Amino acid sequence: MQDIGSEQSMLTARIIGAVCGALVSFAYMMPKGAREAGARAVAGIVSGLVFGAPAGLALAEWMGVSAMLLPGETLLMGSAAASLGAWWVLGALTRIADRVGRGPGGKQ
């Protein structure tokens, strides 16, 4: 049975990875407003927390480094990647929706 300290460190790794993934995303695709920034940040952090472990395992296997990484590093990497991915997807969908809404039949 694992002790509570290791569970706490795994949760900390997930949180740090998810927040860092969201912060790095600001450098590449800035939100247009506070509402979009809030929605994308929440979605990025939640997806990093939820999908951090499977994403980290998949990335580590794909890169061939799974034997070299500690569990915390795998979680950190996966959480950051999942958060970054969610940020980009929501940003792209927002921009696509904006363009479609401004088309010939769109109201704005």
Side-chain angles (χ1 to χ4, degrees):
M1 183 175 175
Q2 296 178 348
D3 62 3
I4 191 72
S6 65
E7 287 296 318
Q8 184 65 33
S9 66
M10 294 296 131
L11 179 61
T12 302
R14 284 182 181 184
I15 291 170
I16 291 171
V19 170
C20 288
L23 290 175
V24 166
S25 301
F26 272 113
Y28 295 104
M29 188 183 287
M30 290 295 292
K32 290 185 179 180
R35 181 176 177 208
E36 182 183 351
R40 286 168 58 188
V42 168
I45 291 169
V46 168
S47 67
L49 291 172
V50 173
F51 300 111
L57 291 171
L59 282 171
E61 283 292 319
W62 180 70
M63 291 188 291
V65 296
S66 57
M68 295 180 247
L69 297 177
L70 297 172
E73 293 170 326
T74 304
L75 277 175
L76 186 69
M77 174 181 63
S79 293
S83 177
L84 182 73
W87 182 273
W88 274 80
V89 168
L90 285 175
L93 289 175
T94 300
R95 288 181 176 44
I96 290 169
D98 284 347
R99 287 186 189 144
V100 169
R102 285 188 232 144
K107 297 178 185 177
Q108 284 195 4

